[in-house]
Amino acid sequence: MVNIGLIGAGRIARVHANTIAGNPDARIVAIADPYQPAAKEIAERFGASVFSDAQDLFALDNLDAVVICSPTPQHPQHVVAAAQAGLPALCEKPVALSYEAAVKLENDLNGLNPKVMLGFNRRFDPSFARIKKLVEAGEIGQVEQVTITSRDPEPPSAEYVASSGGIFKDMTIHDFDMARFFLGDIVEVFTYGQNFDPSIKAANDFDAAMILLRNAAGVVATIINSRHCAPGYDQRLEVFGADGVLNADNVRATTVQVAKKEFSASKEPYLNFFLERYTQAYTNELNTFLTAISKGETPTPGISDGIKALQIAEAAEESAKTGKSIKLS
Amino acid sequence: MVNIGLIGAGRIARVHANTIAGNPDARIVAIADPYQPAAKEIAERFGASVFSDAQDLFALDNLDAVVICSPTPQHPQHVVAAAQAGLPALCEKPVALSYEAAVKLENDLNGLNPKVMLGFNRRFDPSFARIKKLVEAGEIGQVEQVTITSRDPEPPSAEYVASSGGIFKDMTIHDFDMARFFLGDIVEVFTYGQNFDPSIKAANDFDAAMILLRNAAGVVATIINSRHCAPGYDQRLEVFGADGVLNADNVRATTVQVAKKEFSASKEPYLNFFLERYTQAYTNELNTFLTAISKGETPTPGISDGIKALQIAEAAEESAKTGKSIKLS
Amino acid sequence: MVNIGLIGAGRIARVHANTIAGNPDARIVAIADPYQPAAKEIAERFGASVFSDAQDLFALDNLDAVVICSPTPQHPQHVVAAAQAGLPALCEKPVALSYEAAVKLENDLNGLNPKVMLGFNRRFDPSFARIKKLVEAGEIGQVEQVTITSRDPEPPSAEYVASSGGIFKDMTIHDFDMARFFLGDIVEVFTYGQNFDPSIKAANDFDAAMILLRNAAGVVATIINSRHCAPGYDQRLEVFGADGVLNADNVRATTVQVAKKEFSASKEPYLNFFLERYTQAYTNELNTFLTAISKGETPTPGISDGIKALQIAEAAEESAKTGKSIKLS
Amino acid sequence: MVNIGLIGAGRIARVHANTIAGNPDARIVAIADPYQPAAKEIAERFGASVFSDAQDLFALDNLDAVVICSPTPQHPQHVVAAAQAGLPALCEKPVALSYEAAVKLENDLNGLNPKVMLGFNRRFDPSFARIKKLVEAGEIGQVEQVTITSRDPEPPSAEYVASSGGIFKDMTIHDFDMARFFLGDIVEVFTYGQNFDPSIKAANDFDAAMILLRNAAGVVATIINSRHCAPGYDQRLEVFGADGVLNADNVRATTVQVAKKEFSASKEPYLNFFLERYTQAYTNELNTFLTAISKGETPTPGISDGIKALQIAEAAEESAKTGKSIKLS
């Protein structure tokens, strides 16, 4: 039985709590959140103890691991606290607010022998994970081109945009990790940022972008981003190789098709947003974390994957603003 | 070069004329139709001679084959005339108005050594023919169940219904031949006729039917018929075997898919009716006929296939009217 | 909070236990199963009390409802016991081993004011339920034809077949309920039973069947059954109406498509069997039951739906054995 | 009746000849090709006169239009000759070997009042044309992003590559025109050229590329190119707009799907190459040309479209070689 401490009691914390509830080998024993009503609601359901200050949770001696769902600015301090307490940690993405802060975190962890898994949930999506497995099995030979389509159903609020850190760190960060999932280290990035939404432009941000990335071997990925998409949360992947092509289509609530006088084979819109679309990915991610720590292994993706995604995000932004192709060191 | 005489100058005759025009090894040299304007229009385009009476065409000495597109009641006499003239013939379906008339035709042809191919065009549809070929190659093992969905886009006129011979001989006849294409000889038929359209009921006919057929080996086919279908001409086939399943979907004019707020992957309606849906089938059918006679072979399907389809049609009608399962002798 | 007693601790009981675990408004408080290790395993996880004899469970005074997952022969006695205890019950299908036993159960319940929901889980499948809702909303007008394709991935063991009650009561029973879901009461049935599997034939049972059913209004359903299907558990539905057509396709584990030199758009096999294929249906079914009893409503489908499905099953078997179309009284 | 002169008797010339044969309002009256056997073969079939030198054909007085299928280096002189003879011309793409040569041609045509249509056949593909029409009808609102996937089934021979002018002018030229079809004038281009095929790299050419283009309004298109694709000729289009998304999928020979133990819904490979894939596009293109000249209209796309596509091609090549985003004047 793995005893888990939950840092944060927000939306994602509840997703992880449900996964733990369904896993007969794990249980939540403590929850910390400054907002006590949220923490208490989860705690009561699972019979866990409640804290306001995360430091009190880290001081417990009956924990086997922590899941960090605190606000992004606190990620570094909670990751360090977990490492100091000798606890494996699953930390939500992004690992820090900036590439600089992430590099500082990496330095702070020096000598602490941390076991940190970063919550890039899309790597655990059943379809994307299947494609990865097929690629590794040599099903399509050498990978040559990757197309990542990633569009949100609707733009976030002006407040959210203002504090988001910009589209590349907030939204495309997942796609940069997907690109790295298939291409490994990226050496060059080029971006056309787009502005169709005046309120997002007013916030000095882009609401869409088309991005090219390449690795040292010349494999290229294109990322197609938009902050809106009429039929829902558009999340597709195509991996093209020497001997074949692999695609993952969007996910819908049912398999129903309608045919009428004017059209046929009409399907439902895509699942609307990440909590529905990636439900199974969150479950698989947490279970992967639990399995790894049960076996004493260091789970992946880790801190360095978070740092590299942030580095690409900052380069993509520089490219969009300067019109130049940016080389990564 | 195969010199062809065309009996009839109607809609199907023009389809066959276009196929011959695109075949560099064949040409139309004569056309017969009592309605001279139609015959002349085709003749002028291809430089062919024109006749009012088909007997004059059969008397020509420069013909290698005939294509019979006359009204159904005249099929038997034109097939006999072709056989008497020693000419291979492609005859449109059905071979005769009734099972009885078809059997009489078969007797009349005795000793004439006829080379007659019957125009069951669906056997030459690229998708259905591919399925047949895959079945014969053993791709799905022993065939066990066949599902034929066949719905017209819109009901025919009351006049047409009145003289059609009923849904089973007029429409399902194609599906009976499809069932025979995969099951061979049918030994038993059961039918529920359906009446949703009052004007067709008034003509003492059915506007829909669901039919089961089986062969001596116990393989069963179901035919699903309707005289209307909102999204167009619904023509599908599923063949289920011991080791797999083969399906042919409907055909659309383009591959375009539309996604909007309320739906996604919405395709065009099906092609509207048989001339569009089976264009390629008509072309392949005629070219199969031409190839066979060039090689001196007897093309299939033949007269006996037409007779057996008519026999099933009459049994299906008897089943629908008596509520009994009908055994074929 | 709804306190639930679980009768039986087998495979389906565990499915229901997981659904209850994920529902914050319900909990399992007692489990009864003669096989104690299975009962204890579930009980420990949820802190429930354990009984060997179901009668002891029914005697508890802290229950709000029971879920009956005992072997089919015991369904009637457990349904009656629940009614006598004034407890709403969700009972797995079939309600009894025969039409006769089911009618007897109905009589035994007279005056007991039972609240029994029968576990015809497919009515709660997201895709089939969506089609039902669209039909009721008038999306495709008057329903005219229904096609139900239902094939198991692999034949059951000889032992299972021997005690199954035959394909129609064991397997097609679900499809008969689906037919009733869209057609209401059935007035006539015709069946061709099929034998391709010698071991099933040796057990005097069919391993495949094609069935036609009609209601008093002349709407016809066809059911296509097989005890095997190479690509997996084949569960499809087509509802054809005056103004359109609705289809539910099979379900796959991912949306991945593979394209190589010889083929394209190749998808995964279908989910392999009912626990995977109908996971969400079982969840929705149990939650529907919980919602109904919370509101004091009588949930559906009920006992009479189980009786009518059994009546059709016996008529289908009679038709397959006599070659006659059977009218239901 | 439109009397047509055909310049060239190669592969594309035969495609156009077949279209003309199927059009009752047009006929081929003359063919010119230095290689006389090819010219004679077509001429005999259609009863046309044959010339070795195109100048003799232009001197005829019974022509209404010409179709120019000569080798690319001769396109400019034949276009000028047609204009001097007052004949409308359909000229195969590319209009000239280089942007410079194309601009020179435009100057040479000054004052000749030419009616020249350029054979960018993909604009006439039924699916792409349907998308264009739906976009113009406002179906998806303002266009924001376009994704063009264009992969050849197999790399051309080394000889072909050596004289092709490079991937951008030889292959991507069609995709540049597609981008212009939806974005209008392009103002900036960025390209990552790719080298996986050593023999193409040896010819100092790329065998794959991923390209971004944008117009003055900030609409961006991405082009995904490869000289090989295992499942066939990969030709897809996605147009994303404010209110929806339009897609055109690949084309296959049949609608057959195979399901077996390991996979399901497996379709045929894509049609193998442009003559099969774009058969209907070539037909529609020529008929559009014939309709325009029958009405005395100037058909599009024209010379200037060819020039602009060449300008983009040269910029894309410069970008791939310099690593810089190139602005078009």
Side-chain angles (χ1 to χ4, degrees):
Chain A
M1 183 62 64
V2 181
N3 292 325
I4 295 176
L6 203 52
I7 315 292
R11 193 168 54 172
I12 289 288
R14 282 197 298 271
V15 170
H16 290 314
N18 276 329
T19 299
I20 296 167
N23 186 322
D25 301 322
R27 68 182 162 202
I28 298 173
V29 297
I31 302 175
D33 196 302
Y35 182 62
Q36 288 284 292
K40 281 180 182 162
E41 188 190 322
I42 298 176
E44 270 171 32
R45 199 169 143 211
F46 298 101
S49 48
V50 182
F51 302 92
S52 180
D53 186 337
Q55 292 310 319
D56 297 333
L57 185 149
F58 284 113
L60 294 172
D61 58 5
N62 65 338
L63 293 182
D64 299 309
V66 294
V67 175
I68 301 172
C69 307
S70 48
T72 299
Q74 298 169 26
H75 285 176
Q77 73 191 71
H78 290 147
V79 167
V80 169
Q84 287 169 333
L87 291 171
L90 170 63
C91 179
E92 273 304 313
K93 69 95 216 173
V95 67
L97 273 182
S98 67
Y99 173 61
E100 194 184 359
V103 170
K104 179 179 178 304
L105 167 61
E106 200 170 38
N107 291 334
D108 290 349
L109 288 170
N110 254 345
L112 292 177
N113 193 25
K115 282 192 177 170
V116 186
M117 177 174 167
L118 204 60
F120 278 127
N121 58 297
R122 292 188 195 172
R123 292 190 180 212
F124 303 93
D125 173 69
S127 295
F128 300 161
R130 177 70 51 98
I131 287 183
K132 175 70 171 179
K133 206 171 168 179
L134 289 169
V135 165
E136 287 177 345
E139 185 75 13
I140 58 166
Q142 165 67 39
V143 169
E144 296 180 359
Q145 299 177 323
V146 174
T147 305
I148 298 165
T149 305
S150 176
R151 294 173 177 131
D152 284 353
E154 288 181 8
S157 66
E159 294 74 30
Y160 183 94
V161 170
S163 68
S164 70
I167 188 171
F168 302 111
K169 275 185 221 167
D170 178 63
M171 174 179 172
T172 328
I173 192 85
H174 278 295
D175 307 308
F176 294 137
D177 184 61
M178 259 298 116
R180 290 191 66 250
F181 198 38
F182 289 97
L183 270 63
D185 284 344
I186 301 300
V187 299
E188 195 173 352
V189 183
F190 183 81
T191 305
Y192 283 142
Q194 298 182 280
N195 279 111
F196 297 103
D197 185 326
S199 74
I200 292 179
K201 189 185 170 110
N204 201 27
D205 196 0
F206 300 106
D207 56 83
M210 292 182 97
I211 302 164
L212 295 182
L213 308 96
R214 70 170 165 193
N215 70 12
V219 182
V220 179
T222 184
I223 295 171
I224 301 168
N225 269 178
S226 175
R227 278 295 196 183
H228 75 88
C229 182
Y233 190 36
D234 186 9
Q235 298 284 300
R236 286 172 288 157
L237 174 65
E238 173 170 305
V239 181
F240 171 78
D243 304 328
V245 196
L246 295 163
N247 277 279
D249 193 11
N250 280 304
V251 178
R252 294 162 177 92
T254 78
T255 65
V256 172
Q257 296 188 10
V258 186
K260 302 194 72 173
K261 194 161 186 58
E262 302 79 14
F263 54 82
S264 66
S266 192
K267 299 183 184 177
E268 301 189 25
Y270 318 139
L271 286 181
N272 197 52
F273 214 16
F274 63 96
L275 289 182
E276 294 87 359
R277 168 66 177 83
Y278 288 116
T279 301
Q280 192 62 46
Y282 282 113
T283 301
N284 294 352
E285 172 192 278
L286 188 59
N287 287 333
T288 300
F289 172 71
L290 292 174
T291 300
I293 64 175
S294 293
K295 297 182 175 173
E297 297 170 351
T298 301
T300 59
I303 294 274
S304 67
D305 295 296
I307 291 175
K308 286 176 175 172
L310 277 169
Q311 186 189 22
I312 300 171
E314 299 200 346
E317 189 171 349
E318 186 186 343
S319 175
K321 294 194 167 161
T322 63
K324 291 183 179 167
S325 181
I326 306 298
K327 290 193 166 55
L328 299 180
S329 52
Chain B
M1 183 62 67
V2 181
N3 291 327
I4 295 176
L6 202 53
I7 314 292
R11 193 166 55 172
I12 289 288
R14 282 197 297 272
V15 170
H16 289 313
N18 275 329
T19 299
I20 296 167
N23 186 322
D25 300 322
R27 67 180 163 204
I28 297 174
V29 297
I31 303 175
D33 197 302
Y35 182 62
Q36 288 283 295
K40 283 182 182 160
E41 190 190 321
I42 299 177
E44 270 172 33
R45 200 169 144 213
F46 298 102
S49 47
V50 183
F51 301 91
S52 181
D53 186 338
Q55 292 311 321
D56 297 333
L57 185 149
F58 284 113
L60 292 173
D61 58 6
N62 65 338
L63 292 183
D64 298 309
V66 293
V67 175
I68 301 172
C69 307
S70 49
T72 299
Q74 298 169 26
H75 285 177
Q77 72 190 73
H78 290 146
V79 167
V80 170
Q84 286 168 335
L87 291 171
L90 171 62
C91 179
E92 272 304 312
K93 68 94 215 172
V95 66
L97 273 182
S98 67
Y99 173 61
E100 193 185 357
V103 170
K104 179 178 179 304
L105 167 61
E106 203 172 37
N107 291 334
D108 290 348
L109 288 171
N110 255 344
L112 291 177
N113 193 23
K115 282 194 178 172
V116 186
M117 177 174 167
L118 203 62
F120 278 128
N121 57 298
R122 291 189 196 169
R123 293 190 182 213
F124 303 93
D125 173 68
S127 295
F128 300 161
R130 177 70 52 99
I131 288 182
K132 175 70 170 179
K133 204 171 170 179
L134 289 168
V135 165
E136 287 177 345
E139 184 75 13
I140 59 166
Q142 164 67 39
V143 169
E144 297 179 0
Q145 299 177 323
V146 174
T147 306
I148 298 165
T149 306
S150 176
R151 294 173 177 133
D152 283 354
E154 288 181 8
S157 65
E159 294 73 30
Y160 183 94
V161 169
S163 67
S164 70
I167 188 171
F168 302 111
K169 275 186 222 163
D170 178 62
M171 174 180 173
T172 328
I173 192 86
H174 278 294
D175 307 308
F176 293 136
D177 185 62
M178 260 295 117
R180 290 191 66 250
F181 198 37
F182 290 97
L183 269 64
D185 284 343
I186 300 300
V187 299
E188 194 174 352
V189 183
F190 182 81
T191 304
Y192 284 143
Q194 298 183 281
N195 279 111
F196 297 103
D197 185 326
S199 74
I200 293 179
K201 190 186 169 106
N204 201 26
D205 196 1
F206 301 105
D207 56 84
M210 292 181 96
I211 303 165
L212 296 182
L213 309 96
R214 70 171 165 193
N215 70 12
V219 182
V220 180
T222 184
I223 295 171
I224 301 167
N225 269 179
S226 176
R227 280 292 196 185
H228 75 89
C229 182
Y233 191 38
D234 187 7
Q235 297 285 301
R236 286 172 289 157
L237 174 66
E238 172 170 306
V239 181
F240 171 77
D243 303 328
V245 196
L246 295 164
N247 277 279
D249 194 10
N250 281 304
V251 178
R252 295 162 177 92
T254 78
T255 66
V256 173
Q257 297 188 9
V258 185
K260 302 195 71 174
K261 194 161 187 58
E262 302 79 13
F263 55 82
S264 66
S266 192
K267 298 183 185 177
E268 300 187 28
Y270 318 140
L271 286 182
N272 198 53
F273 213 15
F274 63 97
L275 289 181
E276 294 87 358
R277 170 64 177 84
Y278 288 115
T279 301
Q280 192 62 46
Y282 283 113
T283 302
N284 295 351
E285 174 192 276
L286 188 59
N287 287 333
T288 299
F289 173 70
L290 292 174
T291 300
I293 62 176
S294 293
K295 297 183 176 172
E297 298 169 352
T298 301
T300 59
I303 294 272
S304 68
D305 295 296
I307 291 176
K308 287 176 175 172
L310 277 169
Q311 185 188 24
I312 300 171
E314 299 199 346
E317 189 170 349
E318 185 185 344
S319 174
K321 294 194 168 162
T322 63
K324 291 183 179 167
S325 180
I326 306 298
K327 291 194 167 54
L328 299 179
S329 51
Chain C
M1 182 62 63
V2 181
N3 292 326
I4 295 176
L6 202 52
I7 314 292
R11 196 166 52 172
I12 288 288
R14 283 197 297 273
V15 169
H16 290 315
N18 276 329
T19 300
I20 295 166
N23 186 321
D25 300 322
R27 68 182 161 202
I28 297 173
V29 297
I31 303 175
D33 196 303
Y35 182 62
Q36 288 285 292
K40 281 180 182 164
E41 190 191 320
I42 298 176
E44 270 173 32
R45 201 171 142 209
F46 298 101
S49 48
V50 182
F51 301 91
S52 180
D53 186 337
Q55 293 309 321
D56 296 333
L57 186 149
F58 284 113
L60 293 172
D61 59 4
N62 65 337
L63 293 182
D64 299 309
V66 293
V67 174
I68 300 171
C69 307
S70 48
T72 300
Q74 298 170 26
H75 286 176
Q77 73 190 73
H78 290 148
V79 167
V80 170
Q84 287 170 334
L87 292 170
L90 170 62
C91 179
E92 273 304 314
K93 70 95 216 172
V95 68
L97 273 182
S98 68
Y99 173 60
E100 193 185 358
V103 170
K104 179 180 178 304
L105 167 61
E106 202 170 38
N107 291 335
D108 289 349
L109 289 170
N110 255 345
L112 291 176
N113 192 23
K115 282 193 176 169
V116 186
M117 176 174 168
L118 204 61
F120 278 127
N121 57 296
R122 292 188 195 170
R123 293 189 180 214
F124 302 93
D125 173 69
S127 295
F128 300 161
R130 177 70 51 97
I131 287 182
K132 174 71 170 177
K133 206 172 169 178
L134 289 168
V135 165
E136 287 177 345
E139 185 75 11
I140 58 165
Q142 165 67 38
V143 169
E144 297 180 359
Q145 299 176 324
V146 174
T147 306
I148 298 165
T149 305
S150 177
R151 294 174 177 131
D152 283 354
E154 288 181 7
S157 66
E159 294 74 31
Y160 183 94
V161 170
S163 68
S164 71
I167 189 171
F168 302 111
K169 275 185 220 165
D170 179 62
M171 175 180 171
T172 327
I173 191 87
H174 278 295
D175 307 308
F176 293 136
D177 185 61
M178 259 298 115
R180 290 191 65 251
F181 198 37
F182 289 97
L183 269 64
D185 284 342
I186 301 300
V187 298
E188 194 174 351
V189 183
F190 183 80
T191 304
Y192 283 142
Q194 297 182 281
N195 280 111
F196 297 102
D197 185 325
S199 74
I200 293 178
K201 188 184 170 106
N204 202 25
D205 197 359
F206 300 105
D207 57 84
M210 292 182 96
I211 302 165
L212 296 182
L213 308 95
R214 70 170 167 194
N215 70 12
V219 183
V220 179
T222 184
I223 295 172
I224 301 168
N225 269 179
S226 176
R227 279 292 196 184
H228 75 88
C229 182
Y233 191 37
D234 187 8
Q235 297 285 300
R236 286 172 288 157
L237 174 65
E238 173 170 305
V239 181
F240 171 78
D243 303 329
V245 196
L246 295 163
N247 277 279
D249 193 11
N250 280 303
V251 178
R252 293 162 178 92
T254 78
T255 66
V256 173
Q257 297 187 9
V258 186
K260 302 194 71 174
K261 194 160 188 58
E262 302 79 12
F263 54 81
S264 67
S266 191
K267 298 184 185 176
E268 302 189 25
Y270 317 139
L271 286 180
N272 196 54
F273 214 16
F274 62 97
L275 290 181
E276 294 87 358
R277 168 64 177 85
Y278 288 115
T279 301
Q280 193 61 47
Y282 283 113
T283 301
N284 294 352
E285 173 192 277
L286 188 59
N287 287 333
T288 300
F289 173 70
L290 292 173
T291 300
I293 64 176
S294 292
K295 296 182 177 173
E297 297 170 352
T298 301
T300 59
I303 295 273
S304 68
D305 295 295
I307 291 175
K308 286 176 175 172
L310 277 169
Q311 186 189 22
I312 300 172
E314 299 200 345
E317 190 172 348
E318 186 186 344
S319 175
K321 294 193 168 163
T322 62
K324 292 183 179 168
S325 181
I326 306 299
K327 290 194 166 55
L328 301 179
S329 52
Chain D
M1 184 62 64
V2 181
N3 292 326
I4 295 176
L6 202 53
I7 314 292
R11 193 166 55 172
I12 289 288
R14 283 196 297 272
V15 170
H16 290 315
N18 275 331
T19 300
I20 295 166
N23 187 322
D25 300 323
R27 67 180 163 204
I28 298 174
V29 296
I31 303 174
D33 196 301
Y35 182 62
Q36 287 284 295
K40 282 180 181 162
E41 190 190 321
I42 299 177
E44 271 172 33
R45 199 167 144 213
F46 298 101
S49 48
V50 183
F51 301 91
S52 179
D53 186 339
Q55 293 311 321
D56 296 333
L57 185 150
F58 284 114
L60 293 172
D61 59 4
N62 64 339
L63 294 182
D64 298 310
V66 293
V67 175
I68 301 171
C69 306
S70 48
T72 300
Q74 298 169 25
H75 286 177
Q77 73 190 73
H78 291 147
V79 168
V80 169
Q84 286 169 335
L87 291 170
L90 171 63
C91 179
E92 273 303 313
K93 69 94 214 171
V95 67
L97 273 182
S98 68
Y99 173 61
E100 195 185 356
V103 171
K104 179 179 177 304
L105 167 61
E106 202 171 37
N107 290 334
D108 290 348
L109 289 170
N110 254 345
L112 292 177
N113 193 24
K115 281 193 178 174
V116 187
M117 177 173 167
L118 203 61
F120 278 128
N121 58 298
R122 292 189 196 170
R123 293 190 181 213
F124 302 94
D125 173 70
S127 295
F128 300 161
R130 177 71 51 99
I131 287 182
K132 175 70 171 178
K133 205 171 170 179
L134 289 168
V135 165
E136 287 177 345
E139 184 74 13
I140 58 165
Q142 164 67 40
V143 170
E144 297 180 1
Q145 299 176 323
V146 174
T147 306
I148 298 165
T149 305
S150 177
R151 294 174 177 131
D152 283 354
E154 288 181 9
S157 66
E159 294 73 31
Y160 183 94
V161 170
S163 67
S164 71
I167 189 171
F168 302 111
K169 275 186 222 165
D170 178 63
M171 174 180 172
T172 327
I173 192 86
H174 278 294
D175 307 308
F176 293 136
D177 185 62
M178 259 297 116
R180 291 192 64 252
F181 198 37
F182 289 97
L183 269 65
D185 284 342
I186 301 300
V187 299
E188 195 175 352
V189 183
F190 182 81
T191 305
Y192 283 143
Q194 297 181 281
N195 279 111
F196 296 103
D197 185 326
S199 74
I200 293 179
K201 189 185 169 105
N204 203 25
D205 197 0
F206 301 105
D207 56 83
M210 293 182 94
I211 303 164
L212 296 182
L213 308 96
R214 71 171 164 193
N215 70 11
V219 182
V220 179
T222 184
I223 294 171
I224 301 168
N225 269 179
S226 176
R227 280 292 196 184
H228 75 89
C229 182
Y233 190 38
D234 187 7
Q235 298 285 302
R236 286 173 288 158
L237 173 66
E238 172 170 306
V239 181
F240 172 78
D243 303 329
V245 196
L246 295 164
N247 277 278
D249 194 10
N250 281 303
V251 178
R252 294 162 178 93
T254 77
T255 65
V256 173
Q257 296 188 10
V258 186
K260 302 195 71 174
K261 193 159 189 59
E262 302 78 13
F263 55 82
S264 66
S266 192
K267 298 183 185 177
E268 301 189 26
Y270 318 140
L271 286 182
N272 198 53
F273 213 15
F274 63 97
L275 290 181
E276 294 88 359
R277 168 65 177 83
Y278 288 116
T279 301
Q280 192 62 47
Y282 282 112
T283 301
N284 294 352
E285 173 193 278
L286 188 59
N287 287 333
T288 300
F289 172 71
L290 292 174
T291 300
I293 63 176
S294 293
K295 297 184 178 172
E297 296 170 354
T298 300
T300 59
I303 294 273
S304 68
D305 296 295
I307 291 175
K308 285 176 176 174
L310 277 169
Q311 184 188 25
I312 300 172
E314 298 199 346
E317 189 171 350
E318 185 185 345
S319 175
K321 293 193 169 163
T322 63
K324 291 184 179 166
S325 181
I326 306 298
K327 292 193 167 55
L328 300 179
S329 52

